[in-house]
Amino acid sequence: MPVVSGRGAWLTGADGRQYLDLIASWWVITHGHAHPRVARAIARQAETLEQVIFAGFTHEPAVTLARELTALLPPGLGRLFFSDNGSTAVEVALKIACQYALNRGAPRTRFLAFEGGYHGDTFGAMAAGRSSGFFRAFESLMFAVDTLPFPATWEGDEAVGRREAESLVILDAHLERHGEHYAALLVEPLIQGAGGMRFCRPEFLAALAERLRSRDILLIFDEVMTGFGRTGAMFACDKAGVVPDLIALSKGLTAGFLPMAVTVCQERIYEAFLGEEFALALAHGHSFTANLLGCAAAVASLELFAEEGTLARVAAIEAIHRERLRGLQGHPLLRRPRVMGAVAALDLAVADGGYSAKVGPELKRFFLERGLLIRPLGNVVYLMPPYCLEAEALHRAWDGVEAALEWVGRRRE
Ligand SMILES: *Cc1c(COP(=O)(O)O)cnc(C)c1O
């Protein structure tokens, strides 16, 4: 479907029709499409300096972004590595974890991750997200990653404690067997995105962190989706009250304007890469590392968060999500309702669940015909609007979700 322009939460198709973007264009848009403030910052930067080598050179937009971003992150997460997409931010985190162990004289090459996790499409990210089933063609090329069940939870769930305990038992067994071979555990904190908008509790992340710390295994938070306000806090690690060793950020970093990513690590990790020998260095760099336009967009976006009270807007969206999901309570097709920050999700009780559920593409068409860009993940219907979305438009989206549930219900009869 050709799209020609966007403004706020709205997109205009080549057919002249308007569509409400309720998935933030694959989870990247934060303040809204074509936000004039970000657009101006990019234009001004483009007229000054568009790109410069970032090996042995630096520039003010990168320095400013590093300063402002690390001031927002939990203390200790103070060293940034720039790249240009979420997969690479994860890839870099895995490479740092691996080389960190090597640089300290005790190589570790195994990793831990979660069933249903998605971390991107490069080889390390694929290995960590292998259970998604997206990467079967490359199975034989992947390195060792042991997976744990993800203790997903939702409103009114009473068995989450048991699920968490089961996952931790499996973790303990892995640690018993391979404890000193694990470089890191990788997790999407609080919300697994592509795996179906599955939530977990902060308590679980805290339990993970505690077990890993005592064995010197690094904790990597993949906040490529959860970063920049999606969970209601600036970062999921804030909301969870758990400080990781490394964090991967991308999608919302530039407000969705430009491809850019950062991997942020703790000072002690950074220090393990310092020295006279080249072998100690992280020999990883990209042509467009710390692109100036991306940095300018990201700095403008962070300013907007402060000036526009963006997190209060997310809280207002969250309140409407909760109200409308309550209104659906008792609907025969509704399973596992859940809300966190700007994200609301529910599972449809259909016979063929999972990512390949036929109902997904059917619903996508149903929504598009009504001017709503909503793209279910199989049988999981979710909303993740840009934060500028007005209450009235959000209610319109929920009216569409209600109509969709009626439609699916009628077809089943
Ligand atoms: C989208 C996503 C990625 C990959 O980011 P790309 O920019 O698409 O490479 C990694 N991790 C998570 C959690 C994501 O949602």
Side-chain angles (χ1 to χ4, degrees):
M1 188 184 96
V3 179
V4 292
S5 65
R7 181 60 78 169
W10 293 93
L11 292 168
T12 304
D15 56 4
R17 286 191 63 192
Q18 302 260 83
Y19 298 88
L20 204 46
D21 184 354
L22 294 153
I23 57 165
S25 279
W26 254 3
W27 322 342
V28 300
I29 307 298
T30 52
H31 306 294
H33 288 281
H35 196 294
R37 177 70 174 276
V38 184
R40 271 200 306 276
I42 294 170
R44 254 200 314 272
Q45 187 57 54
E47 287 167 359
T48 313
L49 181 62
E50 75 301 338
Q51 167 68 22
V52 71
I53 178 173
F54 204 65
F57 292 78
T58 187
H59 47 73
E60 187 272 329
V63 174
T64 304
L65 175 57
R67 190 182 58 239
E68 294 186 359
L69 192 55
T70 53
L72 292 171
L73 285 164
L77 283 166
R79 296 290 179 170
L80 263 88
F81 192 96
F82 287 94
S83 61
D84 36 45
N85 63 78
S87 308
T88 305
V90 168
E91 205 73 28
V92 168
L94 298 173
K95 286 175 73 171
I96 289 177
C98 183
Q99 194 178 341
Y100 172 67
L102 185 68
N103 284 1
R104 299 196 321 153
R108 293 171 173 231
T109 53
R110 264 189 118 82
F111 290 87
L112 287 155
F114 283 88
E115 286 164 16
Y118 175 78
H119 302 287
D121 292 344
T122 51
F123 269 95
M126 284 198 295
R130 178 184 328 190
S131 74
S132 67
F134 295 149
F135 312 123
R136 296 230 170 85
F138 312 103
E139 194 78 37
S140 62
L141 298 171
M142 289 179 191
F143 57 76
V145 179
D146 296 314
T147 55
L148 310 170
F150 187 78
T153 189
W154 51 89
E155 306 286 320
D157 172 27
E158 278 159 15
V160 63
R162 181 176 49 72
R163 252 176 260 123
E164 289 172 352
E166 283 168 6
S167 184
L168 292 172
V169 165
I170 294 173
L171 172 60
D172 288 339
H174 283 314
L175 293 177
E176 204 52 50
R177 201 153 2 116
H178 298 297
E180 66 281 23
H181 299 295
Y182 287 122
L185 177 146
L186 176 63
V187 61
E188 292 162 89
L190 295 182
I191 309 181
Q192 265 191 347
M197 294 299 153
R198 302 200 298 163
F199 296 1
C200 75
R201 297 196 303 175
E203 292 90 322
F204 178 67
L205 297 173
L208 289 179
E210 195 193 309
R211 279 170 164 75
L212 301 180
R213 201 172 303 122
S214 61
R215 296 187 184 248
D216 221 3
I217 300 167
L218 300 182
L219 176 61
I220 306 172
F221 275 3
D222 177 355
E223 293 224 32
V224 170
M225 185 279 280
T226 54
F228 304 100
R230 300 292 177 208
T231 65
M234 197 60 173
F235 303 103
C237 61
D238 299 332
K239 189 161 181 117
V242 176
V243 181
D245 299 296
L246 288 139
I247 183 168
L249 298 167
S250 184
K251 293 195 166 108
L253 171 63
T254 63
F257 275 69
L258 286 158
M260 172 140 175
V262 291
T263 307
V264 190
C265 75
Q266 294 280 348
E267 186 69 28
R268 72 170 203 291
I269 298 175
Y270 170 80
E271 281 167 6
F273 290 78
L274 299 179
E276 292 306 316
E277 291 165 63
F278 181 73
L280 284 176
L282 180 69
H284 187 121
H286 292 281
S287 319
F288 284 99
T289 299
N291 171 256
L292 282 106
L293 307 186
C295 290
V299 169
S301 171
L302 293 183
E303 284 166 7
L304 282 173
F305 267 98
E307 288 166 24
E308 293 192 337
T310 303
L311 293 182
R313 293 184 176 193
V314 177
I317 288 171
E318 175 167 5
I320 294 176
H321 280 334
R322 288 193 189 284
E323 175 199 328
R324 294 301 301 257
L325 260 184
R326 262 197 308 276
L328 280 172
Q329 233 167 39
H331 192 289
L333 282 175
L334 178 74
R335 296 284 183 281
R336 304 182 175 184
R338 49 205 187 267
V339 175
M340 196 187 306
V343 183
L346 57 92
D347 293 9
L348 284 178
V350 290
D352 65 329
Y355 190 81
S356 53
K358 278 199 301 294
V359 74
E362 291 167 1
L363 279 177
K364 187 173 79 176
R365 276 194 300 278
F366 176 93
F367 288 126
L368 269 185
E369 281 162 13
R370 284 154 187 80
L372 303 172
L373 175 47
I374 298 175
R375 218 166 168 271
L377 296 158
N379 67 325
V380 178
V381 177
Y382 73 94
L383 302 179
M384 189 198 291
Y387 311 142
C388 60
L389 187 73
E390 305 281 341
E392 191 203 325
L394 184 52
H395 280 294
R396 189 197 296 207
W398 275 106
D399 292 344
V401 171
E402 277 185 26
L405 260 64
E406 293 312 311
W407 180 69
V408 174
R410 268 201 311 280
R411 285 189 334 151
R412 291 207 318 170
E413 277 160 15

